[in-house]
Amino acid sequence: MDRQGAKAELTSHMKVLRAFAMSLTRNHAAADDLVQDTILKAWTNLDKFQEGTNMRAWLFTILRNTFYSGRRKAMREVEDSTGSITESISVKPAHDGRLQLAEFRRALSELPAEQREVLTLIGVLQYSYEEAAEVCGVKVGTVKSRLNRGREALSIKMQLKADEQLELTDAATHAVVAASGGTAA
């Protein structure tokens, strides 16, 4: 069948396709969308239509299959009218984390070497207080003090408020600032 003849025959079935779609969807807009999807699928698969067979039946089959595929898909979807599900699974853009990570690195580099050392050992390398004290050659209390002062200094340099969350992309940075004035997320 040539494209012109196929186009003419496709359009000649529009009214009955819409009526069938209305009987399935019971909604004018949904029926129009269903007919449009059907015509699009039929047009793109016109080479699969066997000339001499019933085009109306072929179109009805496409429409019906499209409708039921949509219903099966809809059954797997969850309505989220309040947006709470979407909110919980959404992902913050990576560039925000990279910007905050760069700010964190800058702030960390401005700290005194003793505070940077302890923050790195405990926050990044996950050393215990005792292990960090041994590496630094100081008492555990000194390590805790340097760690606390370092975290506080980072919070100030990064202008974090006590109730503000810091969202970062790497776990090491998260560990370092987790106990600071701002909380890492």
Side-chain angles (χ1 to χ4, degrees):
M1 175 178 289
D2 69 355
R3 287 273 201 208
Q4 279 304 80
K7 183 179 178 181
E9 189 165 356
L10 277 173
T11 56
S12 72
H13 297 293
M14 295 291 282
K15 285 184 181 180
V16 292
L17 284 173
R18 187 163 192 288
F20 184 47
M22 276 297 297
S23 73
L24 294 173
T25 64
R26 298 186 187 124
N27 178 297
H28 292 287
D32 289 341
D33 289 345
L34 186 56
V35 170
Q36 183 176 2
D37 289 345
T38 301
I39 295 299
L40 180 63
K41 286 178 182 181
W43 187 256
T44 57
N45 292 296
L46 198 55
D47 58 319
K48 295 177 184 170
F49 176 70
Q50 295 176 357
E51 197 168 338
T53 61
N54 187 343
M55 183 173 278
R56 179 183 281 192
W58 185 62
L59 291 169
F60 272 49
T61 301
I62 294 171
L63 187 138
R64 182 182 175 282
N65 289 345
T66 302
F67 173 74
Y68 285 114
S69 291
R71 295 260 320 249
R72 282 189 299 276
K73 181 180 174 187
M75 288 188 331
R76 291 187 304 267
E77 294 175 350
V78 177
E79 185 174 334
D80 186 22
S81 59
T82 63
S84 60
I85 296 171
T86 305
E87 183 74 25
S88 70
I89 62 172
S90 64
V91 176
K92 187 154 181 71
H95 61 82
D96 288 351
R98 283 194 302 271
L99 292 174
Q100 287 193 326
L101 181 58
E103 183 183 349
F104 169 80
R105 286 182 174 153
R106 182 195 48 74
L108 183 65
S109 72
E110 294 173 0
L111 294 179
E114 296 84 14
Q115 291 175 3
R116 269 197 326 269
E117 179 181 44
V118 171
L119 284 167
T120 303
L121 289 172
I122 293 174
V124 178
L125 301 174
Q126 302 292 300
Y127 278 36
S128 68
Y129 292 134
E130 293 78 17
E131 292 169 327
E134 188 177 322
V135 169
C136 296
V138 297
K139 295 184 180 197
V140 172
T142 303
V143 167
K144 289 180 180 180
S145 176
R146 288 178 182 175
L147 181 65
N148 188 47
R149 285 195 315 268
R151 286 178 172 158
E152 188 175 316
L154 277 176
S155 291
I156 291 168
K157 288 182 181 295
M158 295 181 70
Q159 300 175 348
L160 297 176
K161 297 178 182 86
D163 60 344
E164 184 178 6
Q165 286 195 348
L166 176 62
E167 297 180 23
L168 300 167
T169 56
D170 78 357
T173 307
H174 171 78
V176 171
V177 296
S180 66
T183 56

